[in-house]
Amino acid sequence: MFEYAPAPESRDVVDIKPSYGLFINGEFVPGSSSFKTVNPANEEVLAEVAVASSDDVDRAVQAARKAFGVWSSMPGAERAKYLFRIARIIQERARELAVLESLDNGKPIRESRDVDVPLVAAHFFYYAGWADKLAYAGFGDRPLGVAGQVIPWNFPLLMLAWKIAPALACGNTVVLKPAETTPLTALLFAEICQQADLPPGVVNIVTGAGETGAAVVAHPDVNKVAFTGSTEVGRIIARTVAGTSKKLTLELGGKAANIVFEDAAIDQAVEGIVNGIFFNQGHVCCAGSRLLVQESVQDQLLDSLRRRLSTLRLGDPLDKNTDIGAINSADQLARIRQLSDLGEQEGASRWSPACELPEKGFWFPPTIFTGVAQSHSIAREEIFGPVLSVLTFRTPAEAVEKANNTPYGLSAGVWTEKGSRILWMADRLRAGVVWANTFNRFDPTSPFGGYKESGYGREGGLAGLEAYLDV
Amino acid sequence: MSRLSVRKTYKLFIGGAFPRSESGRSYVVTSPKGDFLANASRASRKDARDAVTAARKAFPGWSGATPYNRGQILYRIAEMLEGRRGQFAEELPLGKKAGLEQVDAAIDRLVWYAGWSDKIASVRGSANPVAGPYFNLSTPEPSGVVAVIAPSDPLLGLVSAVAPVIVTGNTAVVVASESSPLAAITLAEVLATSDLPGGVVNILTGHQAELAPWLAAHMDVNGLDLTGVADPDLALRCEQEAAENLKRVIRPSSPDWSADPGIGRMTAFMETKTVWHPAGV
């Protein structure tokens, strides 16, 4: 095994203020109360952040409503130029955003620097180009109005980009609520909107917990609700907007099958499995959390997988050599622990590599469960952590049967050297994204979203425009 | 005593470099009033062939770059042009105000096309539901090297003709407007500082009637945009020459460059590729 000297990314590039207000109508305003956001890697308090009350949310929606007149009547080419500006400023301030994201979220700097932030800039760049080309997309060019958007903590800035970029390109204005545990990059984004001279009120950021989100969703002057998060909250939101004229898109949980056939390139498959479930500590709605491996290669694959897991480095998210960072919050850690303990109680075998966990902060080692049955909780429930459940199959038909045996349908992976089998499987998998011989690939041009209880609507690509237009 | 200015030598733009014509020839460019402006290079057949060679050499890299990357570079060209607004406004034979308007329109046109790089395939490609167990996907691809006989509108027309050719991954050999070629060479200075790989755009100045037929007949050119050809006899001859290797041709026209350009100038120089693959265990 290699020894690695510490290689920490400097946090000097980020200037975190002691406290942050709400971003309403182009300026920061105080909230009525506040909460603390902490670095999950060491539990250090990073900043005090305002809580938006329902009155604050109302002010934000009013600002967005007022700005809607200006923004929606502006020529698409001019809206495009604002979005291009934002994309460029994100590129210019990329390192600052990456470090701040890792501090607030706990994800390794390698991921925030090489995946999250570049995708954020690309997403704005992509939808900027659509703003004056809506006539070619086939959904008309009438925006909906004010979009209320609630996003999760696993990819804080990337989920913001997925929500705000298409909304603005189509001529809507937004009130966005970042997750309670990861508000800081959204607040830095507010500053970026100021630098871009974006008209006040076009983007409003209201921080807070579930109550703030509920106020955004329920506000009567919101025309569109977009939510990414758990299926449980998604159901509540769908009930809330029932009977209104609000348009709703939901991107919810998943329990993706990553299916490995005996003819697959095993080393590549192992990399894909690791990327599929341990990327971002498994805090990924489309994570490949169920490994379905063909019986004949099970032993070989699991040997390779265990060997590979032993080389993963867990620790300081700001260290450039870190593979696995911190679990985002104490609550999430408790949930992962609870479900993992349940996995053992229900009879599956648990394995983790020898792995020293830091004393402070929220940490969970990469974990594999073998001997998992479809009835086990860890094969059915979304754990949203670095925990892989291994099941086996004998025939392609059985693989399809098991992969689809879930209320979710966000993504799936197929590993085989046979192209026709990839396509045969893809035809039968009830999932919004099917990755073949790769996993967890994202691109602004490629639509993303789920079947069944993983939600409805698509984000990304041409299809992503539909959610923000009055079709 | 007032300072004597240092004048610019207007040369060609081939393969990312600024050579003089190998023929050693030049021609006089005058203002609309008839005042001497500069001696522009008068490109020869050999220069045109060198330009095609450079464009062909640049094609694999440029067409193989990601659409995202090409979009970034076109946007960068717009940024660089914005930085030289004043210079272009002065060089265009239009007067300051109309000149600025034209430069602004040219910048916005580049931004418009920059956004198309990663969208044209979504708009013009398709998943085809063939009646059988096959995956069947059609995607547009660039045609190759395109010769552009640029319209006389010296900046907006030029940009509106060149941007749609290159954004999709083609490389271009451009014959600049014969009467107002200087903005084209200054645009080359913009292109040269925009991370655009050398050879993706090559610009020739000289006599249209001399250069266009060589390019129209060149067997390593895949497309021909005759928009800037005013002489119907020359246009006919070029289109006939182009038939030899079945170049894709845009016929001469006098478009309203300020109108919505649509996507026709991109699709004129794109092929559609359809991939079949069986689906089955």
Side-chain angles (χ1 to χ4, degrees), chain A residues 61 64-65 68 142-150 162-164 166-168 170 172-176 213 215-228 237 241 244-251 456-459 463-470:
Chain A
V61 173
R65 173 61 57 196
F68 178 64
R142 279 179 303 154
L144 294 162
V146 175
Q149 306 176 316
V150 179
W162 283 22
K163 296 283 177 288
I164 292 184
L168 263 48
C170 294
N172 305 280
T173 55
V174 306
V175 176
L176 176 130
V216 170
V217 169
H219 196 288
D221 203 29
V222 161
N223 305 97
K224 151 83 192 177
V225 173
F227 171 73
T228 295
I237 290 174
V241 305
T244 70
S245 58
K246 288 175 192 176
K247 187 163 177 168
L248 177 63
T249 46
L250 298 168
E251 203 269 87
Y456 38 71
R458 292 293 178 269
E459 295 182 291
L465 295 168
E466 186 177 4
Y468 290 97
L469 290 167
D470 184 7

Side-chain angles (χ1 to χ4, degrees), chain A residues 193-248:
Chain A
C193 293
Q194 289 178 326
Q195 283 190 337
D197 287 330
L198 192 72
V202 171
V203 168
N204 304 275
I205 310 276
V206 289
T207 43
E211 280 180 25
T212 305
V216 170
V217 169
H219 196 288
D221 203 29
V222 161
N223 305 97
K224 151 83 192 177
V225 173
F227 171 73
T228 295
S230 71
T231 293
E232 185 192 348
V233 176
R235 276 191 249 277
I236 297 170
I237 290 174
R239 273 195 208 102
T240 307
V241 305
T244 70
S245 58
K246 288 175 192 176
K247 187 163 177 168
L248 177 63

Side-chain angles (χ1 to χ4, degrees), chain A residues 81 88 126 132-133 418 420, chain B residues 79 108 112 119 262 280-281:
Chain A
K81 285 195 273 187
R88 285 306 216 202
Y126 177 75
D132 55 2
K133 299 177 181 64
K418 197 173 172 193
S420 58
Chain B
E79 288 182 342
D108 289 0
W112 155 266
K119 297 175 187 66
V281 290

Side-chain angles (χ1 to χ4, degrees), chain B residues 57-146:
Chain B
K57 197 173 160 204
F59 180 69
W62 182 243
S63 59
T66 62
Y68 178 49
N69 186 231
R70 288 201 299 270
Q72 295 264 311
I73 289 174
L74 259 81
Y75 187 77
R76 182 73 178 160
I77 299 172
E79 288 182 342
M80 294 295 102
L81 191 52
E82 178 96 25
R84 293 198 192 210
R85 277 173 89 235
Q87 182 191 356
F88 275 94
E90 274 176 27
E91 276 190 10
L92 293 175
L94 295 169
K96 182 96 178 171
K97 185 163 175 289
L100 272 180
E101 277 171 16
Q102 173 152 150
V103 182
D104 289 348
I107 295 164
D108 289 0
R109 184 61 38 89
L110 281 162
V111 171
W112 155 266
Y113 279 117
W116 271 117
S117 65
D118 52 10
K119 297 175 187 66
I120 189 71
S122 299
V123 171
R124 297 296 290 201
S126 61
N128 312 310
V130 293
Y134 295 93
F135 167 89
N136 187 288
L137 187 75
S138 298
T139 44
E141 290 194 354
S143 298
V145 173
V146 177

Side-chain angles (χ1 to χ4, degrees), chain B residues 45 48-56 59 143-149 165 170-175 202 204 211-226 238 241-249 269 271:
Chain B
R45 178 191 184 187
R49 293 166 63 131
D50 288 347
V52 173
T53 305
R56 175 59 61 193
F59 180 69
S143 298
V145 173
V146 177
V148 177
I149 314 303
V165 167
N170 296 295
T171 54
V173 175
V174 182
V175 178
N202 305 276
L204 305 172
L211 295 167
W214 292 129
L215 290 166
H218 197 300
M219 294 300 280
D220 204 25
V221 171
N222 306 99
L224 181 64
D225 177 355
L226 295 172
C238 287
E241 295 278 17
E244 184 60 26
N245 68 339
L246 299 172
K247 291 180 181 68
R248 285 78 176 119
V249 175
F269 300 118
E271 313 296 322

